[in-house]
Amino acid sequence: MRLRWLGGAAMLALAACGQPERTGSASSASSSEERVAFPGDPFPSTYRPYPGVTTLITNATIFDGEGGRVDGGSVLLADGKVVAVGTAVNAPADAVVIDGTGKFVTPGIIDIHSHLGDYPTPSVDAHSDGNEATDPVTAQVWAEHSVWPQDPGFARALTNGGVTTIQILPGSANLFGGRSVTIKNVYARTVQEMKFPGAPYGLKMACGENPKRVYGSRNQMPSTRMGNVAVNRATWQEAREYMAEWDAYAEDGGDAPDRNLQMDTLVGVLKGDILVHNHCYRADEMAVVLDMAREFGYKVTSFQHAVEAYKIADLLKEHGTCASVWADWWGFKMESYDAIYENLPLLEAQGACATIHSDDPDGIQRLNQEVGKALGDGRRIGIDISDEHAWTWLSFNPATALGIAEQTGSLRPGKMADIVLWSGNPFSTYTQTEKVWVDGALLYDSSDPTRRPVSDFELGQVGEGDVK
C-alpha cells in the first residue's frame, strides 16, 4: 500500500469510508493500491474572472516584470490573457485601442504580506481577526476563515495602488500563526470567490519579540528567544512523528492514525505543498531558523520584514529564500533598530531574492513609491538598478515566492492579464493609476466613475467611499 499525499493541503487521513481507492486502469490498479486522503482542499477556489474585451494598449513604456523594458511598445490582451508584447503588435479589428503615449504599462503589483480582510476597516475590536493569540502553536487556523470580502481596503489597494494579487497572512503573535491565503484582488461575496486558483497555501511563522512578549506576559513558554526555538523544534518533531505514523500506515496497513488538523498543516510543509513565510527581523535569528529548517527537512520560502537581511544575503541566496522588506520602516521595537534604507538594493546586488511588501492597509496603496525610495537609496551608495529591473520586486519576485509565477507576475504571452496603466513613471509620487485589469477585465478606470469598485459596506455611507 502507499498513501497519496494530496496536493495543496497535504491531507493524511482516509476517506470517511476508510476504504482504499483504486486509481488508473484496471491493470495498474491491480499492481498498486493507494490509500486516498479526504479532499486536500475543503475550501476550494470558486474564482471566476470578470468578463473582459480584447484590448490593445499602444505607444507606452512597458516594464515586463522580469527586468525587461519596451519603449514605444504595445500590449495585447484577449480572453483574460496576455497575447503579445512588443513594438509591432497586431490586433483584431474589433479590439479596444488605448493610446499609452507618455504612460507606462506594468504587471499588476503583488503584495506578499497583507492582513486586509482579517484586520479590515473600520479598525475596531469586532473586526480584529488576524491573531488567534491563545497558544503559541495554532497551525490549524486558516487566515481565509477571517477574511471579510467587504473590506474597503481591497478597493483602495486596487485603485490607488494597482495591486492585483495579495497574500493574506495571520498575524505574528504565535510561533505558528496558521495558513495564509493568496487572493485575486476582486470584489466578491465570499473569500472562495477571491482565492487565486491553484495557489499553494502558506504557513505564517514568527520569531523574535512578538511570541515571547505575548506568551511571556502570561508566564508561559516561550518567554525568551531560546524558548521560541525550543517550542518550534518540539512542534516540528511532533509533525515528523505524525508524518511517520501515516507513512507506516501506508506501508503496513492496520488502523489509521487519528487525524490532527494542526499537524496536517505542518506535514503539508514537510511534504513541500505548503510554503513557509516567516516573520523575522534579525540576521542572527534568520540564520537560526534556516538551521532549524535544515534539521527538520523543510524550506523557508520567505522571511517577512527581514530588516537585517542585508547582513546575510549570501545565506538567503544559498537557501533560495526570499526577503520581503519595507523601504524604510524601522525603530518601532528593538529588533527593528538595525535597519538600513539600502536593504532592498543591497539584497539585489548580492543576488538574493528580494520583494517589497506592505503589512499595512495604507502602505499597500503606494508600494510603487516604496520601491522608488529604495531605488534612490541604492543609487546614492552606487548600486545602480534600472527602473525596469526594480519592478521585479513588485511582481515577479513575489509571484515566485508565492508559487504562482507560472500564472502571473510578468507580461508574458499566456499569463493572466493582470495589468496596470500608469499616468507616468510609476516610481514618481506624481503618477497615478489610470486603469487596472485583472484577468483581462477592466476593473478600474480613473475616467469612469462607474468602474470604481465599492464594497457593500460602503454603499450609502456618504463620504466613506461611495462614489457611484
Side-chain angles (χ1 to χ4, degrees):
M1 299 288 182
R2 65 187 180 88
L3 182 69
R4 176 146 56 100
W5 301 76
L6 295 187
M11 296 298 187
L12 315 175
L14 284 177
C17 64
Q19 298 297 317
E21 175 187 68
R22 296 182 182 274
T23 59
S25 65
S27 59
S28 64
S30 63
S31 60
S32 66
E33 198 171 57
E34 288 184 330
R35 298 184 182 278
V36 179
F38 44 78
D41 190 354
F43 308 99
S45 169
T46 58
Y47 171 76
R48 297 290 183 273
Y50 282 88
V53 298
T54 301
T55 302
L56 179 68
I57 309 168
T58 63
N59 304 317
T61 302
I62 300 168
F63 296 163
D64 70 8
E66 296 184 32
R69 175 178 179 140
V70 182
D71 292 311
S74 299
V75 181
L76 178 63
L77 325 177
D79 300 321
K81 305 292 184 182
V82 176
V83 176
V85 178
T87 54
V89 175
N90 296 319
D94 62 348
V96 173
V97 179
I98 298 172
D99 184 6
T101 300
K103 302 174 184 179
F104 283 65
V105 175
T106 70
I109 291 173
I110 299 174
D111 189 358
I112 195 173
H113 190 125
S114 177
H115 302 292
L116 287 180
D118 278 6
Y119 287 111
T121 304
S123 300
V124 295
D125 287 345
H127 281 167
S128 181
D129 291 314
N131 269 312
E132 182 57 41
T134 53
D135 192 275
V137 181
T138 57
Q140 71 273 29
V141 305
W142 299 30
E144 66 194 76
H145 298 151
S146 285
V147 171
W148 186 42
Q150 294 186 43
D151 183 356
F154 290 122
R156 307 297 193 272
L158 181 81
T159 61
N160 297 335
V163 176
T164 55
T165 300
I166 302 170
Q167 178 178 223
I168 301 171
L169 296 149
S172 53
N174 301 339
L175 296 170
F176 295 83
R179 295 197 195 198
S180 68
V181 63
T182 300
I183 65 157
K184 304 284 288 195
N185 191 15
V186 299
Y187 265 119
R189 299 165 301 169
T190 68
V191 70
Q192 289 96 327
E193 291 177 337
M194 302 172 78
K195 287 176 70 171
F196 194 112
Y201 285 106
L203 171 64
K204 171 66 177 297
M205 296 184 66
C207 60
E209 292 183 25
N210 286 16
K212 79 187 192 81
R213 181 187 69 248
V214 170
Y215 294 98
S217 67
R218 303 175 188 175
N219 198 32
Q220 73 177 90
M221 193 172 186
S223 64
T224 62
R225 282 182 164 84
M226 60 185 174
N228 285 347
V229 175
V231 175
N232 270 323
R233 294 180 72 221
T235 306
W236 283 119
Q237 180 59 30
E238 183 182 353
R240 287 180 62 87
E241 292 169 358
Y242 180 75
M243 182 172 67
E245 289 177 2
W246 280 96
D247 286 344
Y249 168 68
E251 185 70 25
D252 303 327
D255 294 333
D258 292 336
R259 183 183 178 192
N260 182 317
L261 295 179
Q262 190 176 94
M263 293 296 111
D264 286 347
T265 292
L266 300 187
V267 171
V269 172
L270 295 173
K271 291 291 183 179
D273 291 326
I274 297 176
L275 310 179
V276 171
H277 301 282
N278 202 313
H279 160 119
C280 215
Y281 285 77
R282 285 181 8 188
D284 59 309
E285 287 191 278
M286 287 185 272
V288 168
V289 169
L290 291 173
D291 284 344
M292 181 170 61
R294 181 172 58 246
E295 177 187 9
F296 290 99
Y298 69 93
K299 176 181 171 61
V300 180
T301 298
S302 76
F303 283 116
Q304 299 292 313
H305 311 328
V307 299
E308 293 185 15
Y310 64 95
K311 298 181 180 182
I312 55 165
D314 57 331
L315 288 180
L316 298 176
K317 180 181 178 181
E318 175 188 342
H319 288 267
T321 298
C322 290
S324 299
V325 305
W326 296 294
D328 53 10
W329 279 20
W330 71 281
F332 44 91
K333 52 183 175 177
M334 285 304 304
E335 62 187 3
S336 69
Y337 255 79
D338 209 7
I340 60 172
Y341 296 151
E342 299 84 3
N343 193 15
L344 190 48
L346 279 170
L347 287 164
E348 180 68 44
Q350 296 178 78
C353 171
T355 80
I356 199 75
H357 73 319
S358 75
D359 190 30
D360 182 76
D362 294 320
I364 196 173
Q365 300 177 42
R366 46 184 169 272
L367 286 170
N368 56 312
Q369 295 177 21
E370 295 299 291
V371 165
K373 290 190 287 186
L375 269 178
D377 291 326
R379 288 168 181 170
R380 276 190 288 274
I381 64 168
I383 301 176
D384 191 10
I385 297 168
S386 68
D387 287 359
E388 56 268 26
H389 187 84
W391 204 265
T392 63
W393 304 339
L394 288 153
S395 62
F396 188 72
N397 287 2
T400 300
L402 293 174
I404 56 174
E406 293 297 316
Q407 292 79 41
T408 191
S410 61
L411 302 181
R412 297 293 183 190
K415 285 194 174 186
M416 296 169 169
D418 298 339
I419 294 174
V420 184
L421 176 66
W422 304 88
S423 63
N425 188 309
F427 298 131
S428 168
T429 57
Y430 297 102
T431 292
Q432 296 180 324
T433 53
E434 285 202 356
K435 293 178 172 60
V436 183
W437 291 263
V438 178
D439 279 309
L442 181 60
L443 297 189
Y444 172 66
D445 184 344
S446 62
S447 64
D448 181 357
T450 67
R451 210 174 284 270
R452 298 179 183 180
V454 176
S455 79
D456 291 349
F457 180 79
E458 294 179 281
L459 291 174
Q461 299 192 48
V462 178
E464 296 298 328
D466 183 4
V467 295
K468 292 186 178 180

